[in-house]
Amino acid sequence: MLSFGPAQAGGPAVRGGDVYALVRLRGRPVATVVCRVPPGKAPADAVAAAARAALAGRELPAPAPPGDPLRASVVVATRERADQLARALDSLLEQDHPDFEIVVVDNAPATSATQDLVEHKYGERVRYVRESVPGLAVAHNRGIAVADGAVIAFTDDDVVADPHWLTALTAPFAADPGLGCATGLILPARLRTPAQILLESHGGFAKGFEARLYDPARPPADEPLFPFTAGSFGSGANMAFRATALRDIGGFDPATGTGTPARGGDDLYAFVSVLAAGHRLRYTPDALVWHHHRETWQDLRNQAYGYGAGLTAYLTALLVRRPALLPALLRKLPRGLAHARTITAHREAAGAAVPGAHGAQDYPWPRQLSRLERRGMLAGPVGYAKARRRVRGVPLPWDQRGER
């Protein structure tokens, strides 16, 4: 089966006659392909041929073990993006999960647009919550406080969720009582601008099509920096946590995330904290969302800087809030920072020709973006310190002791 992305994405064209498509096998995502469709030819024929070539000789993943999804809460934090939010909520309301709620957290709103949308268009189908303190992590913590699901899933207001997303993301929790976190596959909803194509050519948000279990009792041999390579586990636009495990670690660090001087790192902090508490983390590509990448060059510049800042901000948060991790972190930190710098240098060295992403086309990573990432890495600890001062004394929504 071939999927050209969500209907809201406006079609599959990358540029000219190029087509980007998701390949599914018995409904499960197994690959993406890009091919050029000759004039006058049916896109499905060209994509089918590319799919057969991409899957030739590959050992396809075995079906996931069955499990009944637990009661789930989906938390979507947003700020002044009502149009995008409506698109996301429409897709969430079409989920095939048998028992879930949707919670919208309106973060430091300047207008009533989000509240009006939720209350007038969706009514009782979506819960509206307001959080006055700016910051993605603070907004997510507000969502945790009001959520009633045994599993709490998080996604962004700029995604379109596959109808099977929530079921696939939450089913592993029923099958594995020791699972604390699950993440899923993120693919581009559209590839129309040079910035969108460049980002996806160099990995985007996708973590591949093979399921993987990360167990702190059995560290992966191929990741010597585990668990501090949190970026390999998944991304905040597609993640879920067992509610008890998430609350036990104190939720998200409110001094991290978009909307704070730290710029990011909230999801990375939560991933490592859950693993450090002894829980397992599973990446499941069956849980798919389509992400609307930023469209402009300036958006990409901001994103590159934010990635760098978020990386070192989350590492700083671990040092400050989880001192028991300090010995292991200090042993691995130099290699971790060198690894991060190597990634940016590697991007500069050659254009990316990513199999299954953009065919044989080369899209070199600009040195300017690598420099911005490095500048962000230098600024991350300072940004975290500033953000921490701003939220000091503000209690967790479910913990009135005011501890941070």
Side-chain angles (χ1 to χ4, degrees), residues 228 269 315-330 388 404:
F228 303 112
Y269 173 85
L315 291 172
T316 305
L318 289 177
L319 286 171
V320 171
R321 299 193 60 183
R322 304 199 173 276
L325 294 176
L326 180 59
L329 181 58
L330 290 179
R388 187 171 169 82
R404 287 296 178 194

Side-chain angles (χ1 to χ4, degrees), residues 72-77 136-137 140-141 144 151-156 159 165-166 168-170 173 180-186 230 233-242 246 251-252 265-272 274 281-284 287-289:
S73 300
V74 182
V75 175
V76 184
L136 182 59
H140 280 168
N141 284 342
I144 297 170
V151 176
I152 306 176
F154 299 86
T155 192
D156 293 344
V159 309
W165 166 70
L166 188 58
L169 190 63
T170 57
F173 291 93
C181 178
T183 61
L185 177 64
I186 303 173
F233 303 149
S235 299
N238 191 351
M239 61 183 181
F241 298 83
R242 194 178 299 275
L246 186 56
F252 298 90
D266 49 312
D267 50 352
L268 308 183
Y269 173 85
F271 295 155
V272 175
V274 165
L281 183 154
R282 177 176 289 278
Y283 169 71
T284 174
L288 166 66
V289 300

Side-chain angles (χ1 to χ4, degrees), residues 19 22 49 72 92 100 110 150 172 224 232 235 263 271 279 290 337 356 372 394:
V19 170
L22 169 67
L92 292 173
F100 71 100
S232 66
S235 299
R263 303 290 291 268
F271 295 155
H279 303 285
W290 302 90
L337 293 176
L372 282 169
V394 178

Side-chain angles (χ1 to χ4, degrees), residues 12 23 34 38 107 139 144 174 179 262 274 277 342 357 363-364 402:
V23 182
V34 168
N107 188 214
I144 297 170
L179 193 69
V274 165
T342 299
Y363 299 96

Side-chain angles (χ1 to χ4, degrees), residues 102-179:
I102 301 172
V103 179
V104 168
V105 181
D106 196 1
N107 188 214
T111 71
S112 64
T114 298
Q115 183 174 5
D116 293 343
L117 170 73
V118 173
E119 293 181 351
H120 297 159
K121 181 176 180 180
Y122 299 104
E124 295 182 355
R125 295 181 296 168
V126 176
R127 296 173 64 187
Y128 173 86
V129 180
R130 180 187 176 113
E131 172 53 63
S132 304
V133 179
L136 182 59
V138 177
H140 280 168
N141 284 342
R142 176 61 60 186
I144 297 170
V146 303
D148 64 17
V151 176
I152 306 176
F154 299 86
T155 192
D156 293 344
D157 59 10
D158 55 0
V159 309
V160 174
D162 184 81
H164 189 59
W165 166 70
L166 188 58
T167 296
L169 190 63
T170 57
F173 291 93
D176 181 0
L179 193 69

